[in-house]
Amino acid sequence: MSNMARFYRMLTVVSLGAYPLAATIFAVTAGIGTAPDAATLSALAFWCAQVALGIAAVGLGHLLRTRTPILAPLAAGLLLLSAFAHAASAGLMLGRAAGQGAADAWGANALAMLALVSLSLGTILLAVALFRSKLSIGWVGIVLLGWMVVEFGLSGMGLWAMLAGAAMLFTGFFVLAIVTARSNLAVWTTAAEMATQPVRREQPRRSASIRR
């Protein structure tokens, strides 16, 4: 198999591991305060998390596309859209941290709503795709749904909710990273690369009647 297939798979694995780490750094630094350094670090961590999520979403869609040909691309597309919208929000956060003035409230709210809706729907579809993929990791879908409930419904209930959400996020994405790392390399080989693979041709056997 080609080195590009190995690169695609490894890039997805790294992104799956980087997303919960960057998201946790963002959550911790966002609660420190409004100091310029903390605000800048928080915005950078948030932006890095969205880059990792976008790459991971494309990789998961590629991994699951043959098992769930409709759900996996839809989930990947929604998560990628969420990553783009959240990355734009991170850019606005960086601008505020640099003292460049406040962003337009309507635009910021529209980006936040788009990111929230697409992240929620994408996570739900990804969970269903994991249920139907028959990879023996359907329970990861339950963990991701639990993370979404804690993150968006119980986040204001104290430190325990933040810790529970972080634990669920790390568990779900780390298991997905392990499954991706163990996946067959042929899954990551594109059709164009498969077409260029040398074809082994069997040599015709000599007839027994002409052997001496």
Side-chain angles (χ1 to χ4, degrees):
M1 297 297 173
S2 70
N3 290 329
M4 287 304 297
R6 291 184 174 87
F7 173 76
Y8 294 150
R9 185 176 65 180
M10 183 54 62
L11 183 61
T12 303
V13 171
V14 172
S15 298
L16 285 167
Y19 174 65
L21 180 60
T24 301
I25 293 175
F26 161 71
V28 172
T29 54
I32 291 177
T34 59
D37 291 342
T40 300
L41 178 59
S42 178
L44 285 174
F46 190 60
W47 184 84
C48 290
Q50 304 319 310
V51 173
L53 177 60
I55 297 174
V58 174
L60 288 175
H62 186 86
L63 176 64
L64 300 173
R65 73 190 190 283
T66 57
R67 296 176 178 269
T68 55
I70 296 177
L71 289 175
L74 284 176
L78 287 169
L79 291 175
L80 184 61
L81 178 61
S82 170
F84 274 116
H86 270 142
S89 297
L92 297 178
M93 293 167 59
L94 283 171
R96 289 195 296 269
Q100 296 179 1
D104 176 66
W106 186 90
N109 291 335
L111 279 175
M113 183 59 66
L114 176 63
L116 178 61
V117 172
S118 54
L119 178 61
S120 301
L121 293 178
T123 303
I124 293 173
L125 290 180
L126 177 60
V128 177
L130 292 174
F131 288 139
R132 303 192 61 180
S133 65
K134 298 180 179 179
L135 287 173
S136 300
I137 55 170
W139 61 272
V140 175
I142 299 177
V143 172
L144 293 178
L145 293 177
W147 164 75
M148 191 173 64
V149 171
V150 173
E151 180 71 16
F152 300 124
L154 305 176
S155 58
M157 297 189 67
L159 179 61
W160 72 268
M162 186 182 72
L163 294 177
M168 290 179 181
L169 188 63
F170 270 98
T171 300
F173 274 78
F174 275 22
V175 171
L176 289 175
I178 293 172
V179 171
T180 301
R182 294 178 176 178
S183 62
N184 193 328
L185 198 60
V187 176
W188 303 91
T189 305
T190 64
E193 291 172 334
M194 290 294 292
T196 60
Q197 294 290 333
V199 180
R200 296 180 59 184
R201 297 181 179 178
E202 296 184 357
Q203 296 294 331
R205 296 182 179 179
R206 294 181 180 181
S207 174
S209 61
I210 63 175
R211 294 180 182 176
R212 294 183 179 180

